[in-house]
Amino acid sequence: MGRTGKVVLALVCLALAAGAAYWVYREYWSVESQATRMPVQKGRPGAMGMGGPVPVVGAPASIGNVDIILSGLGTVTPLRTVTVRSRVEGELMRVLFQEGETVKEGQLLAEIDPRGFRVQLEQAEGQLARDRALLENARLDLERYRALFKQDSIAKQQVDTQASLVRQYEGAVRVDRSQIESARLQLTYTRITAPVAGRVGLRLVDQGNIVRAGDAGGLLVITQLQPVAVLFTVPQDSVQAVMRRMQSGEKIPVEAWDREQRQKLADGVLASADNQVDPATGTVKLKAQFPNDDQALFPNQFVNVRMKLDRLVDAVVIPSAAVQRGAQGLFVYVVRPDNTVAQRTLKLGPAEGQRVAVLDGLAAGEVVVVDGMDRLRPGAQVEVAGARPEIKPPAEATRKGKGKKAKQ
């Protein structure tokens, strides 16, 4: 190929490359630039703040009662825990309880071989009979000596000696009686009974073993479950209000909830308060007592405690989801009659479940935004999609749920 042919071939390649570049520009770059220059349509959904109202969910502020609840983490504690031990030494003949059984106070739990203690009782009774006979004989001799002394037949010293012998035998008889009582008591100890009513734990000693009074582990452990106590703490700032309620003589209701606070386990009352503040945590220990008839509470179980300290009556109530936190403090977005929102700073009161009381800054009937407030600014146009119903306290919801299950 000559030089002229090479030039022609280069020109043809350049023409092809230019055509391909133009085709790419027309198919891609020009379409993308047109899409970029296309104006956004006003009022189209998804255009944040680009003309058109922002859809939100609102809820009206209502009038209701709000319980002032003190919450805390508590531990179920039995009122009495007794380790049952043997008071005498001997072979464990019978075990009369089942592990995990609920026993009554005074119920027979186990028996130790009583034969050795019966022998001791018989020996003490025989010694008493012997000393009683000696005492009778000494008294008769004393009467004779006194009669002879009146006749001036014996010396006064012999009468005094005999009187001392009588007193000596009287003392021996008293000792014998105490030994009989001791033997009977030891024989009673061979029958091991429940000192308190409660639930029996695992058996620690099996039948046939030799048990002693000094055994550290004992035979079994009885834990009282009805009633049962729950220990929990409250901040020291709330102590004065709690003490005022306790001093008034009113019973303060306390509820025990499960770990996830979804199910109420038991209802009880506040029983007592500790006498000092824990300096490490700044809290005070309180004790509540529960009947625990259904045994829903178990020793050393962790529960969430809700103590109803007081009730705020006829307060303005809104959902907790409507409350926002900003540089100016706590606030809500209020929907005005012209469907624009205004930012309102509030003074909040106690909260109960998903409701919170408003002490100042909001009137009953005003609609607050509970969803969609992340796209709002003061004065923004909104479209309220629907008002949520008033959220009721979890306690009422739980009771209704239980009622429905019971009906089913």
Side-chain angles (χ1 to χ4, degrees):
M1 181 182 295
R3 183 172 184 179
T4 305
K6 293 180 179 180
V7 173
V8 172
L9 181 60
L11 292 175
V12 171
C13 291
L14 289 175
L16 292 174
Y22 174 76
W23 181 83
V24 170
Y25 171 78
R26 186 185 63 183
E27 294 294 326
Y28 293 97
W29 291 353
S30 62
V31 174
E32 184 176 347
S33 61
Q34 290 176 6
T36 304
R37 293 192 302 268
M38 185 180 297
V40 179
Q41 298 178 4
K42 294 184 180 181
R44 192 179 67 179
M48 297 175 56
M50 301 297 292
V54 178
V56 296
V57 177
S62 60
I63 297 294
N65 301 332
V66 178
D67 293 333
I68 300 176
I69 303 295
L70 291 182
S71 302
L73 185 63
T75 305
V76 180
T77 305
L79 294 181
R80 289 188 290 180
T81 300
V82 179
T83 301
V84 180
R85 297 183 174 90
S86 172
R87 298 187 181 185
V88 294
E89 180 177 348
E91 180 183 354
L92 188 61
M93 299 293 292
R94 292 197 302 165
V95 176
L96 303 174
F97 65 89
Q98 299 291 332
E99 295 177 334
E101 177 186 1
T102 300
V103 298
K104 299 179 180 179
E105 184 176 354
Q107 180 177 335
L108 182 62
L109 301 176
E111 284 186 339
I112 298 174
D113 187 2
R115 291 173 294 181
F117 302 98
R118 288 174 181 167
V119 171
Q120 294 177 6
L121 177 59
E122 292 178 357
Q123 290 177 348
E125 290 174 346
Q127 183 67 30
L128 176 62
R130 175 179 176 275
D131 290 340
R132 276 179 175 175
L134 293 174
L135 176 60
E136 264 323 296
N137 185 54
R139 285 174 176 173
L140 292 175
D141 289 343
L142 179 60
E143 292 297 328
R144 296 189 188 100
Y145 290 164
R146 286 174 177 173
L148 293 173
F149 176 72
K150 290 179 180 180
Q151 298 174 5
D152 201 17
S153 299
I154 59 174
K156 181 70 168 57
Q157 181 180 0
Q158 192 172 355
V159 177
D160 295 339
T161 301
Q162 188 64 28
S164 299
L165 184 60
V166 170
R167 290 192 294 271
Q168 179 181 345
Y169 286 146
E170 289 176 348
V173 168
R174 285 195 294 268
V175 172
D176 294 339
R177 288 174 178 170
S178 65
Q179 289 178 350
I180 290 175
E181 293 299 326
S182 176
R184 287 176 178 171
L185 186 61
Q186 298 296 313
L187 185 60
T188 303
Y189 288 158
T190 61
R191 294 172 56 86
I192 300 175
T193 58
V196 296
R199 177 179 290 178
V200 176
L202 301 179
R203 184 173 62 252
L204 304 179
V205 179
D206 296 325
Q207 180 177 334
N209 285 279
I210 301 298
V211 295
R212 298 176 177 83
D215 293 342
L219 302 178
L220 67 151
V221 178
I222 300 178
T223 302
Q224 182 179 357
L225 298 179
Q226 296 174 334
V228 73
V230 173
L231 292 179
F232 63 102
T233 58
V234 296
Q236 60 181 353
D237 297 338
S238 304
V239 174
Q240 297 299 327
V242 175
M243 296 307 296
R244 283 195 297 269
R245 284 292 307 276
M246 293 183 65
Q247 292 170 1
S248 66
E250 300 179 11
K251 292 184 178 180
I252 305 177
V254 180
E255 298 176 350
W257 292 69
D258 63 356
R259 185 184 297 270
E260 297 179 354
Q261 299 193 29
R262 293 182 178 179
Q263 180 181 2
K264 185 171 67 172
L265 302 177
D267 291 299
V269 294
L270 184 65
S272 59
D274 200 359
N275 58 357
Q276 59 184 349
V277 177
D278 187 352
T281 60
T283 58
V284 177
K285 292 181 180 179
L286 301 180
K287 177 186 286 187
Q289 187 167 318
F290 296 81
N292 201 27
D293 295 330
D294 56 354
Q295 297 187 4
L297 300 179
F298 208 76
N300 296 329
Q301 176 184 1
F302 288 98
V303 295
N304 288 286
V305 179
R306 297 178 183 175
M307 181 173 63
K308 181 180 175 181
L309 191 59
D310 205 346
R311 168 170 286 189
L312 193 61
V313 181
D314 295 337
V316 179
V317 181
I318 61 173
S320 302
V323 181
Q324 302 293 310
R325 183 180 297 274
Q328 70 277 18
L330 300 176
F331 68 93
V332 294
Y333 284 108
V334 180
V335 180
R336 293 184 289 201
D338 59 353
N339 285 336
T340 59
V341 293
Q343 188 171 317
R344 188 84 58 81
T345 304
L346 303 180
K347 181 180 179 182
L348 299 181
E352 180 186 4
Q354 299 181 12
R355 308 187 311 160
V356 61
V358 179
L359 301 181
D360 188 21
L362 195 67
E366 292 188 284
V367 178
V368 295
V369 178
V370 296
D371 194 8
M373 66 279 291
D374 54 336
R375 296 178 296 174
L376 295 181
R377 295 292 182 271
Q381 191 79 19
V382 296
E383 179 182 355
V384 181
R388 290 181 177 177
E390 181 183 356
I391 301 175
K392 297 185 178 181
E396 298 180 4
T398 304
R399 295 191 189 100
K400 290 186 178 181
K402 291 183 177 180
K404 292 180 180 178
K405 293 182 179 178
K407 291 180 181 179
Q408 293 175 357

